[in-house]
Amino acid sequence: MVASSAARLGVKQICSNSQLIQKGLPSLHSKVLNPYAPVAKWILTTSGLVAGMVHVGGVTRLTKSGLSMTDWKPLGSLPPMNKDEWTQEFNRYKTFPEWQQRKSMTLEEFKYIFYWEWGHRMLGRGVGLAFALPWGYFAFRGLIPPGYSNRMKALFAMGGTQGLVGWWMVKSGLGEDRLGDRKEIRVSPYRLAAHLGMAFSTYSLLLWTGLGIFQYPNDAIGSNNATNKLQDIAKSMTKTSLALAKKVRGGAIAVTGLTALTVVSGAFVAGNDAGNAYNTFPLMNEQWIPLDDMIDPELSSPVSIYRNMFENTAMVQWNHRVLATTTATSALTLASVAFFHPAARASLTPQVHKGLTALGGAALGQWSLGVCTLLNYVPISLAAAHQMGSLVLLSSGIYVVHSLRYVSPKVLGVVNRIISTTKSGNIHSIANPTVVASKNIGHATLKTPAVPLRP
């Protein structure tokens, strides 16, 4: 009877393996199922705050408010509280280069741009507190998941560095070398790209960390070195389904990387105010590739050729168009796999299917929004929405890559080592579980070791 019970357990295990891919790995939001769920919720809330800060920063730039505060205090300060303080702050602003091009500005107009910049800076400090205080609490209570302590330190360092990079960016528009500059006073596009890139990197790492902690019980190794659910899914797949899942993961990594590169190129479009030129699509100045405009003789010497790539209006905008179109096309192609590939059902979990659907929709929406923004000469509302759309697209790509971690090299490497150990120990396949009667304690033990992937 004991052997019969163990055999039934073995059959149940086989059926469970065949259904693993259809069930997938849903996030564990309940504290009952995942003791680290509160930590994941805190991390993802912080990522949402960073997204909000990115939005406010975008509006600050679009309203040309970024150079209204001409000093920086690490702990922040209150805004001017009365007319005399406002007058003093306004007079200080008048001593910097931007005022030379905005001499018609009134005190009320100055207050408007000042509040945008002040709000952006204070929101950044608020996000820092929203991360640091709960981190201290969770660390004190021993609730940071094993293996995540260094990640938290890295996130804290990135947040602190972001403030320094922001001030470094602002200083590029305040220097005396900009006095008499005929072009509109703006911050360095290189420093703007660094500032935006740091914000997106911090957001991405927060999102990846939160998703990982929500999956911690699924990813963690069980007692007695038992395999985890990621490895169970990998072992349950055929070679054909495994190959497709690996290709989709590679494609998702490529699309996410393209999205990040497109975001950086967008920073150079913003930094050079290139969106207000060539406001037609798909042609630029009635040409597909306006070579005459894309090569500036003053910026084409071997020493300064990089400047032509990153400071020439036509070149910067053309690069962004090509990258954006390539990203959208790649994302839509990848998303079509979830709907049309015959092996998708046996290869991709429900989480991957949902992620690919979101990725395709976000890519199409973001590309369309970018075209509309260009054709309408970059109105603030559309431009701000376009920047947030890039975050949505990036988030979708990150989610897809994370959902496909069951075919990551790390997981497959562990599975292959288990397979090698299994073979050397002459243990039967999981498809043929062995029931071994225990002579000492009078019950049966079911062995269900890892096995080679089925062809």
Side-chain angles (χ1 to χ4, degrees):
M1 180 180 290
V2 174
S4 177
S5 298
R8 287 196 298 270
L9 182 60
V11 173
K12 182 178 180 180
Q13 178 71 28
I14 295 170
C15 295
S16 176
N17 283 345
S18 66
Q19 297 171 357
L20 282 174
I21 201 72
Q22 281 76 34
K23 183 178 180 181
L25 294 166
S27 295
L28 302 176
H29 301 90
S30 170
K31 192 175 180 180
V32 176
L33 299 175
N34 182 0
Y36 302 113
V39 178
K41 293 175 183 178
W42 153 60
I43 289 291
L44 291 182
T45 298
T46 305
S47 72
L49 292 174
V50 172
M53 189 175 70
V54 169
H55 174 66
V56 172
V59 176
T60 300
R61 175 184 55 79
L62 290 164
T63 55
K64 301 180 181 180
S65 305
L67 298 177
S68 58
M69 293 183 69
T70 56
D71 62 354
W72 184 67
K73 299 176 182 178
L75 299 180
S77 62
L78 293 173
M81 303 303 292
N82 53 54
K83 185 175 181 179
D84 289 341
E85 291 181 359
W86 275 114
T87 300
Q88 182 180 357
E89 190 68 39
F90 192 27
N91 288 336
R92 178 161 50 194
Y93 171 73
K94 292 178 180 179
T95 64
F96 286 87
E98 188 177 54
W99 166 254
Q100 306 305 316
Q101 298 178 356
R102 307 180 72 174
K103 291 184 177 181
S104 62
M105 180 184 295
T106 65
L107 179 60
E108 291 302 314
E109 291 171 334
F110 173 72
K111 288 181 180 181
Y112 176 78
I113 64 172
F114 184 94
Y115 273 127
W116 271 113
E117 175 64 11
W118 181 83
H120 179 51
R121 294 189 187 189
M122 295 308 294
L123 179 59
R125 294 179 176 92
V127 173
L129 289 176
F131 179 85
L133 296 180
W135 177 32
Y137 169 79
F138 287 125
F140 178 77
R141 295 291 301 274
L143 294 175
I144 301 298
Y148 279 86
S149 293
N150 288 336
R151 183 85 58 84
M152 300 302 170
K153 295 174 185 177
L155 285 167
F156 182 75
M158 291 174 73
T161 303
Q162 177 70 359
L164 294 174
V165 173
W167 174 240
W168 176 64
M169 175 191 70
V170 170
K171 283 185 66 177
S172 66
L174 298 176
E176 292 185 1
D177 59 313
R178 304 300 298 274
L179 289 171
D181 198 330
R182 294 183 178 180
K183 296 183 178 179
E184 182 180 357
I185 301 297
R186 293 189 295 266
V187 298
S188 163
Y190 302 97
R191 299 189 188 188
L192 174 62
H195 187 51
L196 185 65
M198 176 66 77
F200 272 64
S201 297
T202 303
Y203 169 83
S204 299
L205 187 56
L206 282 166
L207 178 61
W208 183 268
T209 301
L211 293 174
I213 296 176
F214 265 139
Q215 291 282 348
Y216 190 83
N218 290 332
D219 297 2
I221 298 296
S223 60
N224 300 322
N225 294 321
T227 56
N228 62 18
K229 292 185 178 181
L230 287 178
Q231 296 161 12
D232 289 340
I233 288 180
K235 290 184 298 179
S236 72
M237 299 172 67
T238 66
K239 285 186 176 180
T240 300
S241 60
L242 181 64
L244 176 62
K246 289 171 67 176
K247 287 181 180 179
V248 173
R249 182 177 182 273
I253 292 173
V255 169
T256 305
L258 273 172
T259 302
L261 188 60
T262 306
V263 168
V264 174
S265 76
F268 282 98
V269 171
N272 290 283
D273 202 22
N276 285 309
Y278 305 101
N279 299 96
T280 58
F281 192 88
L283 301 182
M284 296 175 62
N285 196 21
E286 300 183 353
Q287 302 175 71
W288 288 103
I289 305 176
L291 286 176
D292 291 341
D293 295 342
M294 290 170 64
I295 300 176
D296 187 338
E298 296 182 3
L299 301 177
S300 298
S301 66
V303 177
S304 60
I305 191 169
Y306 77 93
R307 294 186 59 196
N308 190 80
M309 179 68 68
F310 298 111
E311 298 178 33
N312 181 297
T313 297
M315 178 69 80
V316 165
Q317 191 188 120
W318 188 84
N319 289 341
H320 190 59
R321 288 183 182 215
V322 171
L323 282 170
T325 302
T326 302
T327 300
T329 303
S330 301
L332 288 169
T333 301
L334 185 66
S336 67
V337 172
F339 296 98
F340 303 113
H341 199 287
R345 182 174 176 80
S347 307
L348 310 177
T349 65
Q351 293 75 35
V352 178
H353 277 275
K354 292 176 183 177
L356 288 173
T357 301
L359 182 67
L364 181 59
Q366 174 68 352
W367 183 85
S368 301
L369 189 56
V371 173
C372 290
T373 302
L374 176 70
L375 296 179
N376 287 279
Y377 292 83
V378 198
I380 292 176
S381 57
L382 286 179
H386 185 51
Q387 179 169 277
M388 291 304 293
S390 64
L391 267 181
V392 174
L393 180 56
L394 183 66
S395 302
S396 301
I398 290 172
Y399 179 81
V400 172
V401 175
H402 189 270
S403 298
L404 281 161
R405 66 198 183 284
Y406 58 87
V407 289
S408 66
K410 181 178 180 180
V411 171
L412 295 181
V414 172
V415 170
N416 287 332
R417 285 195 296 272
I418 294 174
I419 291 172
S420 299
T421 302
T422 300
K423 286 182 176 180
S424 64
N426 295 319
I427 301 176
H428 291 292
S429 164
I430 198 170
N432 298 288
T434 303
V435 178
V436 181
S438 173
K439 296 180 180 180
N440 295 329
I441 58 177
H443 69 274
T445 301
L446 177 67
K447 293 185 178 180
T448 56
V451 296
L453 297 172
R454 302 193 307 274

